[in-house]
């Protein structure tokens, strides 16, 4: 079933590594023994190696089902640089290119073929699959097959149908970075894995620092972080196209080398902007979550979430695009209560999948709202952020990580505050309005509590309410934040009133109004004006020659330009750092550098 090479030779000769990472060897051994498998491994843990090494040892072809064009291009370019015959089949190819790739595959020119799930059931691909020996089908981003996953793609459900049309069933392996127990069970069921070897290597990415900030001015805070890491690449995620445009425009106006990415741009501009970022022509990418899935750029030093994502799965996947080279990187979320309302609107208005019935859509909507609640809890937790994330995925941590804002207090502007009495005031105001058969949105309620003499307050004679002005010493920002928190925790809810949304009490309101429940949230900490903001994270200690590192990067950049490839495909920063430490002087010594296999030694040695 396998050729003469052993797995260690393949690892060293093609990929330039002398030892396997956690979980890789067990998965590879299971696949080589002919067993289906499911691997749940964090971003940067080397999932692709788990199917690429067996693929090179099997005598047939391995088909890799992959969801995004960018992922395939990166993987195939990287494999070719490592001396592996590989190709991809997706919509980026012209008809002539596609037919040529199919023809080459039929003649046995490739060991690994990446294919979009939508292509599996096409006549030309089915004809190819039936005429060649397929040793393994590997499913990347396998959580896409689960309707309980955060990236459900109906096209993934065609995979079992495709397998059923083959002359025989190959080994099936599936891989993902983020999956709860529920999603793992769904992957096994939906892909019809047979007695699979399953492994979860742990979700922890120790090189990532996690931070949550509650800034008064999000843009100023984002600029502070970008400026701190201005010599490095970073991604800023925004929840809406409008925010992407605004933040990118401001950054460019402030002199930063930034670009943008969202679904509203033309295919051509999206492709150009993505390439500019991948090839290091721009330092900062401002994007919606449409950007990044499968982007294998290894030198992203920070990921800023300008808005809170809808769930922990999406957040951890997007944040995980930082530090893929194993170096320290920062993942910082800028939170505001408005993010909760925006996400609720998106959840309640985005489920229009024609492949799902109404009951399933409603179930998914309720599940998404529960996940949003967990995401909101993460942003307001008093404890270790890493502990919170790992706990969400069912993994326990022995002690606080000391590498997050929860442990280090790096942002220093938040503290746990008892807001029980103020919450009672907010709910009482809504109740008093209800007694008059009136209802308003958060803005008017904040005006009443603050004691404003706005036009609406005068028109509806709201100054005669007993709750008018009872929070006159509080800021509008604080009152609106309390309202957002109460809504996020279902003590109040938004309902439609004509063309407007208004706030009403829920059953849970009684817990605060009647049972006097204690409510605490994290709020900006009041500090002396002279006190400065603590720096993000820990001081990074460099143990290699920075000047030599810079010269090596310049050489790599020249080679990348000549080959029309991203620099990290030639060699990663981690490989260059290893060179600076080991200082190889011969071709043989170069093979001892992490990430340098025989093909790269021959190309660049």
């Amino acid at each position: 079933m396998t050729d003469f090479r052993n797995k260690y030779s393949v690892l060293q000769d093609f990929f330039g590594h002398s030892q396997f990472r956690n979980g890789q060897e067990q998965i590879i051994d299971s696949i080589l023994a002919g067993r289906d498998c499911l691997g749940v491994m964090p971003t940067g843990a080397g999932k692709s190696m788990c199917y690429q090494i067996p693929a090179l040892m099997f005598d047939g072809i391995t088909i890799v089902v992959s969801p995004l064009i960018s992922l395939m291009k990166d993987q195939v370019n990287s494999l070719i640089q490592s001396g592996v015959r590989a190709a991809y089949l997706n919509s980026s190819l012209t008809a002539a290119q596609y037919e040529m790739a199919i023809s080459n595959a039929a003649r046995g020119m490739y060991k690994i073929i990446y294919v979009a799930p939508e292509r599996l059931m096409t006549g030309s691909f089915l004809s190819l699959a039936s005429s060649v020996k397929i040793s393994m089908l590997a499913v990347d981003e396998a959580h896409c097959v689960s309707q309980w996953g955060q990236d459900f793609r109906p096209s993934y459900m065609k995979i079992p149908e495709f397998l059923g049309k083959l002359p025989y069933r190959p080994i099936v392996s599936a891989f993902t970075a983020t999956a709860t127990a529920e999603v793992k069970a769904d992957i096994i069921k939906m892909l019809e894995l047979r007695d699979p070897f399953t492994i979860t290597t742990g979700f922890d990415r120790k090189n990532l620092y996690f931070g949550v900030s509650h800034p008064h001015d999000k843009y100023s805070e984002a600029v502070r972080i970008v400026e701190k890491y201005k010599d490095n690449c970073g991604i800023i995620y925004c929840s809406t196209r409008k925010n992407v445009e605004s933040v990118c425009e401001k950054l460019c106006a402030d002199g930063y080398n930034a670009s943008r990415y969202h679904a509203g741009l033309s295919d051509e501009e999206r492709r150009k902007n993505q390439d500019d970022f991948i090839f290091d022509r721009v330092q900062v990418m401002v994007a919606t979550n449409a950007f990044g899935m499968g982007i294998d750029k290894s030198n992203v030093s920070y990921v800023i979430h300008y808005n809170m994502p809808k769930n922990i799965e999406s957040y951890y996947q997007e944040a995980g695009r930082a530090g893929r080279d194993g170096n320290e990187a920062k993942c910082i979320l800028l939170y505001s209560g408005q993010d909760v309302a925006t996400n609720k609107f998106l959840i309640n208005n985005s489920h229009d999948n024609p492949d799902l019935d109404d009951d399933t859509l409603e179930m998914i909507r309720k599940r998404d709202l529960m996940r949003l609640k967990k995401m909101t809890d993460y942003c307001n937790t008093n404890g270790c952020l890493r502990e919170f994330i790992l706990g969400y995925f069912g993994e326990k941590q022995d002690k606080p990580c000391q590498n997050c804002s929860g442990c280090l207090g790096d942002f220093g502007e938040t503290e746990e505050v008892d807001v029980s009495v103020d919450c009672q005031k907010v709910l009482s105001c809504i109740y008093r309005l209800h007694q008059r058969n009136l209802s308003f949105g958060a803005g008017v309620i904040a005006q009443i509590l603050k004691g404003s003499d706005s036009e609406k307050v005068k028109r509806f004679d709201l100054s005669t309410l007993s709750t008018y002005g009872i929070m006159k010493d509080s800021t509008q920002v604080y009152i609106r934040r309390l309202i957002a928190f109460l809504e996020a925790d279902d003590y109040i809810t938004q309902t439609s009133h004509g063309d407007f949304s208004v706030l009403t009490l829920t059953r849970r309101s009684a817990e605060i109004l009647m049972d006097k429940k204690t409510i605490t949230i994290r709020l900006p900490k009041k500090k002396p004006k002279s006190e400065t903001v603590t720096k993000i994270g820990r001081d990074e200690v460099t143990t290699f020659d920075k000047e030599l590192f810079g010269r090596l990067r310049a050489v790599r950049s020249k080679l990348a330009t000549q080959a029309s490839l991203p620099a990290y495909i030639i060699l990663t920063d981690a490989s260059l750092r290893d060179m600076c430490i080991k200082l190889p002087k011969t071709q043989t010594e170069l093979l001892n550098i992490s990430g340098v296999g025989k093909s790269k030694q021959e190309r660049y040695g």
Side-chain angles (χ1 to χ4, degrees):
M1 195 174 198
T2 62
D3 70 12
F4 66 94
R5 283 191 299 265
N6 66 47
K7 60 192 175 188
Y8 297 106
S9 299
V10 175
L11 179 69
Q12 180 65 63
D13 293 350
F14 286 95
F15 303 107
H17 300 299
S18 58
Q19 58 188 20
F20 289 104
R21 295 183 190 174
N22 181 30
Q24 286 181 328
E25 193 166 10
Q26 296 100 305
I27 293 172
I28 290 167
D29 286 347
S30 296
I31 291 172
L32 291 176
R35 191 175 174 189
D36 287 358
C37 83
L38 169 60
V40 182
M41 308 166 76
T43 303
K47 290 186 290 295
S48 58
M49 209 80 74
C50 293
Y51 57 80
Q52 288 171 355
I53 286 177
L56 291 172
M57 297 176 70
F58 288 145
D59 54 5
I61 293 172
T62 289
I63 303 295
V64 183
V65 180
S66 182
L68 284 185
I69 291 170
S70 55
L71 174 83
M72 299 186 206
K73 288 177 69 175
D74 255 14
Q75 293 277 9
V76 169
N77 283 336
S78 185
L79 284 168
I80 291 170
Q81 285 291 305
S82 297
V84 179
R85 291 173 290 124
Y88 56 81
L89 300 171
N90 58 41
S91 60
S92 71
L93 302 177
T94 64
Q97 288 172 329
Y98 187 83
E99 287 305 317
M100 177 63 75
I102 289 281
S103 175
N104 289 342
R107 294 202 306 272
M109 286 184 62
Y110 309 124
K111 286 296 287 179
I112 302 175
I113 300 173
Y114 284 77
V115 61
E118 294 80 9
R119 296 268 162 176
L120 288 175
M121 298 302 293
T122 60
S124 58
F125 190 76
L126 279 172
S127 176
L128 169 69
S130 299
S131 65
V132 297
K133 180 176 181 180
I134 298 175
S135 301
M136 176 169 59
L137 180 84
V139 183
D140 206 4
E141 307 291 350
H143 62 272
C144 292
V145 79
S146 172
Q147 63 185 20
W148 311 122
Q150 75 276 16
D151 290 308
F152 173 58
R153 292 173 184 244
S155 56
Y156 262 59
M157 298 177 77
K158 298 286 187 184
I159 293 172
E161 186 180 348
F162 167 73
L163 288 168
K165 290 187 177 294
L166 298 180
Y168 61 90
R169 185 185 183 278
I171 298 161
V172 181
S173 58
F175 300 90
T176 182
T178 53
T180 59
E182 184 181 41
V183 171
K184 281 190 278 189
D186 215 24
I187 291 170
I188 293 170
K189 177 185 173 185
M190 300 307 294
L191 291 179
E192 298 176 5
L193 300 183
R194 298 177 181 175
D195 183 32
F197 169 75
T198 61
I199 186 170
T200 301
T201 61
F203 292 91
D204 195 8
R205 298 272 308 281
K206 288 183 168 37
N207 63 314
L208 299 185
Y209 163 93
F210 291 99
V212 174
S213 174
H214 295 237
H216 291 301
D217 183 340
K218 283 192 178 187
Y219 180 72
S220 296
E221 182 65 11
V223 166
R224 187 180 76 82
I225 299 164
V226 171
E227 176 64 25
K228 182 176 173 65
Y229 301 103
K230 63 183 177 183
D231 295 329
N232 301 306
C233 292
I235 302 171
I236 301 177
Y237 280 110
C238 302
S239 62
T240 64
R241 299 176 189 180
K242 182 180 177 183
N243 279 352
V244 168
E245 295 287 347
S246 171
V247 172
C248 184
E249 190 177 310
K250 287 179 182 176
L251 283 172
C252 291
D254 287 340
Y256 294 99
N257 190 10
S259 190
R260 60 185 182 162
Y261 190 103
H262 60 69
L265 303 176
S266 67
D267 289 346
E268 185 180 349
E269 184 177 352
R270 279 205 306 275
R271 187 162 50 249
K272 177 191 177 299
N273 293 352
Q274 178 170 296
D275 284 349
D276 284 347
F277 182 66
I278 287 174
F279 284 87
D280 294 331
R281 292 191 286 266
V282 299
Q283 297 294 104
V284 187
M285 176 60 78
V286 189
T288 60
N289 63 5
F291 176 79
M293 188 174 177
I295 298 296
D296 200 23
K297 187 172 171 65
S298 62
N299 62 335
V300 175
S301 295
Y302 63 87
V303 170
I304 299 169
H305 276 82
Y306 202 80
N307 304 106
M308 181 187 76
K310 289 186 285 188
N311 52 62
I312 298 280
E313 290 93 339
S314 296
Y315 174 68
Y316 200 49
Q317 188 175 57
E318 290 159 15
R321 284 162 195 152
R324 293 178 67 112
D325 55 5
N327 293 310
E328 287 195 6
K330 313 296 178 186
C331 309
I332 298 163
L333 195 161
L334 310 182
Y335 174 81
S336 75
Q338 182 56 41
D339 294 336
V340 182
T342 301
N343 279 317
K344 276 193 173 179
F345 176 82
L346 292 172
I347 288 169
N348 287 325
N349 293 277
S350 63
H351 292 301
D352 54 357
N353 193 321
D355 296 312
L356 302 176
D357 59 55
D358 289 346
D359 288 345
T360 303
L361 287 172
E362 178 60 16
M363 198 184 305
I364 292 173
R365 189 186 71 82
K366 288 180 177 177
R367 176 215 62 190
D368 286 350
L369 289 172
M370 288 171 59
R371 285 180 171 172
L372 175 61
K373 169 69 168 60
K374 278 289 184 184
M375 189 72 240
T376 307
D377 290 345
Y378 170 82
C379 294
N380 289 288
T381 184
N382 209 13
C384 172
L385 297 176
R386 180 175 266 97
E387 196 170 42
F388 190 103
I389 290 172
L390 296 182
Y392 179 81
F393 290 113
E395 193 173 309
K396 283 187 166 57
Q397 185 172 268
D398 295 335
K399 56 185 178 181
C401 71
Q402 299 305 316
N403 191 27
C404 73
S405 61
C407 290
L408 300 176
D410 288 327
F411 291 100
E413 77 279 59
T414 63
E415 60 183 343
E416 197 79 1
V417 177
D418 186 335
V419 293
S420 308
V421 174
D422 285 343
C423 286
Q424 290 169 18
K425 292 175 181 176
V426 173
L427 297 179
S428 294
C429 185
I430 296 171
Y431 177 71
R432 295 301 177 199
L433 286 167
H434 176 71
Q435 287 182 315
R436 294 191 183 185
N437 291 320
L438 293 172
S439 51
F440 295 99
V444 175
I445 289 167
Q447 290 170 9
I448 297 167
L449 292 163
K450 180 72 177 166
S452 165
D453 60 352
S454 68
E455 185 270 330
K456 273 194 177 174
V457 168
K458 291 175 180 174
R459 191 192 336 157
F460 291 96
D461 196 24
L462 302 179
S463 61
T464 58
L465 283 170
S466 60
T467 50
Y468 179 78
I470 59 171
M471 295 181 71
K472 63 184 178 187
D473 295 329
S474 301
T475 65
Q476 284 271 357
V477 171
Y478 169 69
I479 297 171
R480 289 293 291 266
R481 180 152 182 192
L482 272 189
I483 292 170
F485 165 78
L486 289 166
E487 186 186 351
D489 265 23
D490 295 320
Y491 293 109
I492 53 181
T493 188
Q494 283 192 38
T495 58
S496 295
H497 186 77
D499 295 331
F500 304 98
S501 288
V502 298
L503 294 174
T504 58
L505 301 182
T506 67
R507 289 182 179 180
R508 292 199 69 195
S509 305
E511 295 174 19
I512 297 175
L513 285 172
M514 309 297 291
D515 303 336
K516 308 300 182 191
K517 180 179 179 179
T518 300
I519 303 294
T520 61
I521 63 173
R522 296 196 71 81
L523 290 170
K525 188 176 182 179
K526 294 174 183 175
K527 297 186 295 187
K529 288 185 180 178
S530 60
E531 190 174 336
T532 57
V533 177
T534 310
K535 288 184 179 180
I536 300 170
R538 301 169 294 184
D539 290 336
E540 294 179 14
V541 180
T542 54
T543 57
F544 60 92
D545 187 328
K546 283 189 174 181
E547 183 183 347
L548 176 59
F549 181 65
R551 290 167 68 187
L552 286 170
R553 287 183 72 174
V555 172
R556 180 184 64 177
S557 178
K558 183 179 177 182
L559 290 169
T561 301
Q562 290 171 352
S564 298
L565 288 170
Y568 62 86
I569 294 288
I570 304 294
L571 284 169
T572 65
D573 281 3
S575 294
L576 299 188
R577 285 189 173 89
D578 205 26
M579 287 182 193
C580 293
I581 295 166
K582 293 177 180 174
L583 300 174
K585 294 183 176 63
T586 67
Q587 292 280 4
T588 304
E589 288 176 0
L590 189 64
L591 282 172
N592 293 325
I593 298 300
S594 173
V596 178
K598 285 187 176 179
S599 178
K600 290 193 177 183
Q601 176 221 33
E602 290 167 3
R603 286 175 195 258
Y604 309 119

